[in-house]
Amino acid sequence: MLANSKIIVIFIVGIFSWLIHADNPITTKEFAKNTIEGLPVDSQSFSKAYMSPMIGEKQLSTPSGTKFDVSLSCPTSNAFLEVMAQTSSTGDISFLQFSRDKDVDGVIDSVKRFPKMVSGVCTTGLISCTPGTWSDCVGYKWNGKDDNLSLIETGIGNLGGCYCINQSCGDSSRSQRIISSIVTDLGTAAASALANNNPQYSISGAQTTGSIAKFYGQKLVGCGEGSATTMASYYQNPQNIESAANSYKTDANGIYQLIANSDIAKNSLTTRQFCTINRNTSDRAMRLSDIVSYSGGDGGVHSCAGDGCLELTLGRIGNDYWSGYCDIRHQKVSFYVNMPERIKRATLVSAKWDDWIRVSVNNQKLYAYPYPDWDGQTIDGKRCEWSTSWSARPNVNFTDLIKQKGRIDFKIDVQIAGSGEGYAYAQVLVDESCGLDQEWIANSCEVIDEDKNCKLKNETIDGVQTYKDYHPTGKTPIASERSISNSCDAKIKRNWWKVEREYECITNSEFDFSKGIARNAIVQTSAKKDGFNDVINGVTKVNELILPDIETQSNCTNACKVKRKKDKVSVSAQGPVTNRINEDWEILYRKCTGENQNICPNEAGEQVTTSCSCLNEFDTASTMMQSLRQAAQELICSK
């Protein structure tokens, strides 16, 4: 029955297509004649015209000769790729297998397994890390060159649309909950890599059942089973229908959710609202003083030769500016570290003094001479006068002591005998490249999100869809690095950068068809062969109709009535009919010919009983039909 319905639809479409594409207007009579002449009259022509195109062998032709592609039967396609995965207790995929049917003949040709754990899934590959963590991660990109499917190691930054699946970014059972989506994403990425080199692997269909996903290509070899297997299983196990229905009910991609959330189902009008949440950053050029600045005391900070070089002066520069004997003098200087992350190295490079010296930072000794263990406070019977103005290059690295934000205090302790001085120089190498100045969030979704009439429908974060058709997908984007600005190559890492959302908002209006019904009533009541009235925006408009002229046809076609002896003898239960009525005649009607339809085309052996005229023999036909009905119980026709 279904096949017949399809054929009828094609026939109707074909007729109207022929009418629409006609180059010149034709009369009704010509249209009917041409249409009938174009229809198939036997099984061979019918198969050529309709059956072959329906199974995809040829184009469908209309009676007028117009051709177009059509396929009412499903083209067959074997699965060229099958993906199977199993999750571990850490949420990572511990078993990942890819089976391929390279020539799409229904026989598996190749089976490969990925030997490592899978911790993240991307649109172009996958990520493998230490199980249950996001440490020691390595990226792998799909490669389908030479019809060989493989995973090639690459940087994670070369992959796109990645999301984490193990317990480091959620509970360990999440990957099992979304295993169907995971194997679909993995298979889609693998198939895309193959399709780049062979169009036969372009996905024409996909079927996911639990942790197994199958992908079908473009090589057509017949009509596949489609959903027949599923329907058959329901017929054999009807108790599974209810659970399957509940599964479809919660499926974000299913038809149920599409209908349940439609305007008609909610009996209200909805509008779609789109918005974004963007993380923005601006850069600034770094100055040395932005990294380390002078905070007070005897000393200062200056730039030195080379990029990113700071010189710290520790103490008062000069000669013999103190006097005394075995006297201890102290100097202090402070600096403020604003950006410790930009400090590369800090070194005590030189010192000058007379007679003893001790240099410390935050109460930790950096250098002391000539007594390395001097505490900077007592003499303890040691020799005071050395009769020498010392100069040394200690080259002591104290980077770790200033790699924190805040004030750094230096102290210079000097023992003098007679007269003396004491100071030192430190060198700090810093990264003065551009850096982050400001960071702010531009949120155009805030007002929509607070509207109780609006519901989040779809959400994508940095290319990863986290919400689809009102339901979370269970996918989480991976934190990524980006440049601060177009003019600054410095990168910063954040959990997300851009959120794209689609909301569905319910309006206060309900569906009201009253105006449409009233308009329809006006059109119907006013419709005539020459036009109809319509109301648009409260204004009545008269629409004229111009119908094509219909050729006047005669009410009757002339015919003549003839009779001839039957060649076949009828028999009844009592014997041949001629035994009872001498002769057996049959009555025939012939369509008259000639310009005036006045010639009866009777054949040899036929006698004209009624000449050409507009015959009306309804009474005779009715009587004959009644007689035949009554005689049918007795009469037996024989050849």
Side-chain angles (χ1 to χ4, degrees):
M1 182 65 184
L2 179 61
N4 293 336
S5 299
K6 291 180 178 178
I7 294 171
I8 293 171
V9 171
I10 292 176
F11 173 74
I12 295 173
V13 171
I15 292 177
F16 279 97
S17 174
W18 181 87
L19 178 61
I20 293 171
H21 291 88
D23 294 330
N24 298 306
I26 62 174
T27 64
T28 305
K29 182 178 179 180
E30 291 173 332
F31 167 70
K33 175 178 178 295
N34 294 339
T35 300
I36 294 173
E37 288 179 348
L39 293 177
V41 295
D42 52 37
S43 59
Q44 183 176 359
S45 59
F46 183 85
S47 176
K48 181 179 179 181
Y50 299 121
M51 298 306 297
S52 294
M54 283 193 292
I55 61 175
E57 296 177 1
K58 298 179 181 179
Q59 288 185 310
L60 182 67
S61 298
T62 65
S64 66
T66 302
K67 296 182 178 182
F68 56 91
D69 294 322
V70 64
S71 178
L72 298 183
S73 61
C74 56
T76 301
S77 173
N78 291 317
F80 70 89
L81 177 66
E82 180 178 301
V83 183
M84 179 187 298
Q86 293 179 359
T87 60
S88 66
S89 58
T90 60
D92 302 85
I93 293 178
S94 57
F95 176 85
L96 180 60
Q97 177 177 289
F98 294 84
S99 304
R100 292 190 56 206
D101 179 5
K102 294 184 178 181
D103 52 2
V104 201
D105 62 353
V107 179
I108 298 298
D109 306 313
S110 170
V111 178
K112 291 183 179 180
R113 295 179 181 176
F114 185 64
K116 299 182 179 182
M117 289 284 197
V118 178
S119 308
V121 179
C122 307
T123 56
T124 55
L126 53 84
I127 299 173
S128 178
C129 308
T130 301
T133 72
W134 203 254
S135 303
D136 301 322
C137 297
V138 179
Y140 294 89
K141 189 172 185 178
W142 290 110
N143 179 44
K145 189 176 181 181
D146 299 328
D147 202 26
N148 291 315
L149 183 62
S150 61
L151 285 161
I152 300 177
E153 183 174 334
T154 186
I156 296 178
N158 295 329
L159 304 173
C162 301
Y163 61 93
C164 172
I165 63 173
N166 67 15
Q167 65 185 16
S168 68
C169 42
D171 60 282
S172 59
S173 63
R174 177 175 57 177
S175 59
Q176 183 59 40
R177 292 197 303 270
I178 63 171
I179 188 65
S180 295
S181 179
I182 290 174
V183 293
T184 300
D185 291 346
L186 288 169
T188 301
S192 298
L194 289 170
N196 289 335
N197 298 279
N198 190 338
Q200 147 175 320
Y201 296 123
S202 298
I203 299 175
S204 61
Q207 180 182 4
T208 303
T209 305
S211 59
I212 300 176
K214 295 182 179 181
F215 297 85
Y216 299 84
Q218 297 289 345
K219 186 176 182 180
L220 305 181
V221 294
C223 186
E225 295 181 355
S227 60
T229 302
T230 304
M231 295 298 103
S233 69
Y234 289 154
Y235 179 80
Q236 297 170 358
N237 302 283
Q239 68 274 10
N240 295 338
I241 296 178
E242 184 175 356
S243 60
N246 291 331
S247 176
Y248 281 116
K249 186 176 180 180
T250 58
D251 183 8
N253 299 317
I255 191 66
Y256 178 88
Q257 288 296 329
L258 179 63
I259 296 176
N261 291 285
S262 66
D263 291 347
I264 297 297
K266 296 177 179 178
N267 193 29
S268 61
L269 296 174
T270 60
T271 58
R272 298 166 64 193
Q273 300 283 348
F274 296 89
C275 62
T276 58
I277 305 175
N278 290 292
R279 187 187 300 276
N280 300 298
T281 56
S282 62
D283 69 285
R284 66 171 176 173
M286 288 292 112
R287 298 174 299 175
L288 296 177
S289 59
D290 293 333
I291 302 171
V292 178
S293 58
Y294 172 71
S295 188
D298 297 322
V301 59
H302 311 280
S303 61
C304 49
D307 295 334
C309 182
L310 279 173
E311 183 180 73
L312 307 183
T313 302
L314 312 179
R316 176 184 171 189
I317 301 174
N319 183 46
D320 292 340
Y321 44 75
W322 286 320
S323 61
Y325 193 82
C326 289
D327 288 344
I328 299 175
R329 304 296 176 90
H330 308 284
Q331 296 184 93
K332 293 181 180 181
V333 62
S334 298
F335 304 92
Y336 198 90
V337 177
N338 300 294
M339 298 181 180
E341 72 277 3
R342 288 183 170 266
I343 294 178
K344 298 179 179 179
R345 182 181 177 88
T347 308
L348 182 65
V349 293
S350 63
K352 288 181 176 292
W353 71 94
D354 183 5
D355 287 85
W356 302 358
I357 192 170
R358 184 180 188 272
V359 182
S360 61
V361 57
N362 289 345
N363 296 321
Q364 294 193 45
K365 184 187 71 173
L366 296 180
Y367 179 73
Y369 202 85
Y371 300 107
D373 58 350
W374 183 39
D375 63 3
Q377 303 295 326
T378 61
I379 300 298
D380 292 334
K382 294 182 177 67
R383 174 182 172 185
C384 292
E385 176 61 66
W386 285 78
S387 302
T388 301
S389 291
W390 304 92
S391 179
R393 299 188 67 82
N395 289 324
V396 177
N397 188 328
F398 61 96
T399 307
D400 292 341
L401 298 179
I402 65 169
K403 285 283 282 185
Q404 65 269 350
K405 187 173 182 178
R407 197 176 76 174
I408 305 296
D409 297 319
F410 287 89
K411 184 181 180 184
I412 311 296
D413 301 313
V414 180
Q415 184 280 136
I416 60 173
S419 59
E421 71 284 340
Y423 57 92
Y425 293 98
Q427 189 179 81
V428 180
L429 300 180
V430 299
D431 176 12
E432 59 177 345
S433 62
C434 60
L436 179 65
D437 181 25
Q438 294 183 5
E439 180 175 345
W440 69 97
I441 305 297
N443 186 359
S444 63
C445 299
E446 188 172 1
V447 175
I448 305 175
D449 194 48
E450 293 177 354
D451 189 342
K452 295 180 180 180
N453 292 321
C454 295
K455 184 178 180 181
L456 180 61
K457 182 178 181 181
N458 296 305
E459 179 184 71
T460 301
I461 302 179
D462 294 341
V464 177
Q465 188 159 19
T466 55
Y467 242 79
K468 184 173 182 180
D469 291 333
Y470 314 98
H471 295 277
T473 63
K475 301 176 182 179
T476 304
I478 298 172
S480 59
E481 291 184 342
R482 292 192 181 181
S483 298
I484 295 175
S485 69
N486 293 332
S487 59
C488 181
D489 293 333
K491 296 182 180 294
I492 56 175
K493 188 175 184 179
R494 296 293 184 268
N495 291 331
W496 62 270
W497 292 95
K498 184 176 183 179
V499 180
E500 298 173 277
R501 289 178 177 174
E502 177 188 352
Y503 288 85
E504 188 173 77
C505 300
I506 300 175
T507 65
N508 295 325
S509 302
E510 294 184 353
F511 286 104
D512 182 6
F513 299 105
S514 59
K515 292 183 178 179
I517 294 173
R519 180 182 177 189
N520 178 66
I522 294 174
V523 173
Q524 287 197 12
T525 56
S526 63
K528 298 179 181 179
K529 65 179 183 180
D530 57 350
F532 62 92
N533 296 337
D534 194 2
V535 177
I536 301 176
N537 296 326
V539 179
T540 301
K541 180 181 178 182
V542 178
N543 296 276
E544 294 182 356
L545 290 177
I546 301 177
L547 299 177
D549 293 332
I550 300 176
E551 182 179 351
T552 302
Q553 301 291 329
S554 173
N555 292 329
C556 182
T557 299
N558 284 350
C560 57
K561 182 178 178 181
V562 300
K563 72 175 183 177
R564 69 181 178 186
K565 292 182 180 180
K566 286 186 177 180
D567 293 329
K568 301 173 183 178
V569 179
S570 302
V571 294
S572 67
Q574 288 77 28
V577 174
T578 54
N579 291 343
R580 304 195 313 272
I581 61 174
N582 298 324
E583 290 182 337
D584 192 10
W585 295 82
E586 61 180 345
I587 303 299
L588 302 174
Y589 292 87
R590 302 290 188 189
K591 180 181 178 181
C592 293
T593 61
E595 183 177 355
N596 298 317
Q597 294 185 352
N598 57 359
I599 301 175
C600 184
N602 58 310
E603 297 178 358
E606 295 180 348
Q607 299 179 17
V608 178
T609 60
T610 304
S611 302
C612 292
S613 62
C614 182
L615 297 180
N616 183 0
E617 299 199 1
F618 177 79
D619 295 339
T620 303
S622 178
T623 302
M624 291 176 62
M625 293 297 293
Q626 180 68 6
S627 300
L628 289 172
R629 185 187 68 81
Q630 294 175 351
Q633 301 174 9
E634 177 186 22
L635 190 62
I636 301 174
C637 296
S638 172
K639 292 184 178 180

